[in-house]
Amino acid sequence: MQEKPLNSRQQQAIETKKIIFDSAIALLDEKDFEQITIRDIVKKAGVSIGTFYHYYQTKLDVYYETYGFADEYFKTTVRKEVSKKKSFKEKILLFFEHYSLYNSKLTDFDLTRILYNPQNKYFDRNVEDGMIPLLKEIIQGGLDSRELKSSKNNDEISLFIMICVRGHVYHWCTNDGKYDLCSAINEQVSMLLTIFM
């Protein structure tokens, strides 16, 4: 089924929301998150406070918009690269290589620190496509091929690995990004796989 093209009003709404998001991200180079206000964001974006509240409820919601971009990145870029790998281990290590790159290089360090907080319910968001569905697809492939051996089901394995890896990203944030996250997560995931292989 082909998607209907966006009309000019819909396109304008997408562009306005992106301007607000980009402005909020740019402000992280100028101020600490705690010092950024909604007034700062709207001033930088050149929109009214009413326009801001049309798209977001809080300033934190603006930064949580990152999850939509991450899901799109995993849905397109990562899925394509993963499909070229043959073994389960290659696929899952590549998935988490991208996960660590996304958190450490593609996303601003300050933004990653904002996202890794206990109030963030987006970690448990339910999406039909993107990061978590791709991880579950990789794990199911490992179970089906018997490269992955466990009495646990796909959901349990996915959740366990994601909690462990997110804990590592949190540790990296609390250590001000002083070590290479990509190599640390690669080592961690390799160790975790020994539980299931």
Side-chain angles (χ1 to χ4, degrees):
M1 186 172 178
Q2 195 171 359
E3 289 184 24
K4 290 166 62 172
L6 299 175
N7 64 39
S8 61
R9 181 177 225 150
Q10 292 167 322
Q11 190 60 46
Q12 179 64 42
I14 290 169
E15 290 170 14
T16 301
K17 192 172 184 183
K18 184 167 182 351
I19 288 168
I20 295 169
F21 174 79
D22 289 344
S23 299
I25 296 298
L27 282 167
L28 288 172
D29 290 334
E30 301 169 20
K31 299 180 175 188
D32 289 336
F33 172 74
E34 294 77 21
Q35 296 173 325
I36 297 170
T37 66
I38 290 172
R39 288 198 185 283
D40 293 331
I41 296 170
V42 299
K43 182 178 180 186
K44 189 157 195 80
V47 299
S48 69
I49 287 185
T51 299
F52 176 92
Y53 283 113
H54 177 74
Y55 295 103
Y56 301 104
Q57 292 181 11
T58 68
K59 74 172 181 178
L60 199 50
D61 289 334
V62 180
Y63 295 103
Y64 285 158
E65 188 76 21
T66 303
Y67 288 99
F69 297 122
D71 282 328
E72 187 62 29
Y73 174 74
F74 276 81
K75 175 183 171 180
T76 55
T77 303
V78 180
R79 177 178 290 283
K80 188 175 180 180
E81 288 189 33
V82 162
S83 70
K84 296 175 186 173
K85 300 295 181 185
K86 296 208 182 309
S87 75
F88 161 74
K89 188 171 183 178
E90 289 175 316
K91 289 180 180 188
I92 199 157
L93 287 174
L94 180 62
F95 176 92
F96 282 108
E97 179 183 331
H98 278 282
Y99 185 80
S100 56
L101 277 171
Y102 199 88
N103 281 284
S104 63
K105 305 264 189 310
L106 301 179
T107 302
D108 181 271
F109 174 73
D110 292 325
L111 178 57
T112 299
R113 287 179 72 165
I114 292 165
L115 299 176
Y116 275 78
N117 74 75
Q119 288 80 38
N120 185 349
K121 301 304 179 207
Y122 282 81
F123 282 134
D124 295 324
R125 70 198 183 286
N126 187 14
V127 293
E128 294 179 14
D129 211 353
M131 184 187 303
I132 300 303
L134 177 58
L135 175 60
K136 289 182 177 181
E137 188 179 306
I138 294 167
I139 289 173
Q140 190 59 53
L143 291 168
D144 292 346
S145 68
R146 301 218 189 305
E147 292 173 83
L148 195 58
K149 298 172 181 78
S150 177
S151 60
K152 303 291 184 189
N153 66 36
N154 188 331
D155 288 340
E156 292 168 321
I157 297 169
S158 301
L159 181 61
F160 173 77
I161 294 175
M162 282 306 296
I163 287 171
C164 291
V165 171
R166 285 174 177 156
H168 207 121
V169 177
Y170 180 82
H171 180 268
W172 176 76
C173 287
T174 60
N175 282 272
D176 296 321
K178 289 183 179 166
Y179 59 86
D180 181 56
L181 184 64
C182 296
S183 59
I185 285 183
N186 181 277
E187 185 178 339
Q188 181 190 31
V189 173
S190 295
M191 287 171 55
L192 287 171
L193 290 179
T194 63
I195 299 168
F196 300 109
M197 295 183 83

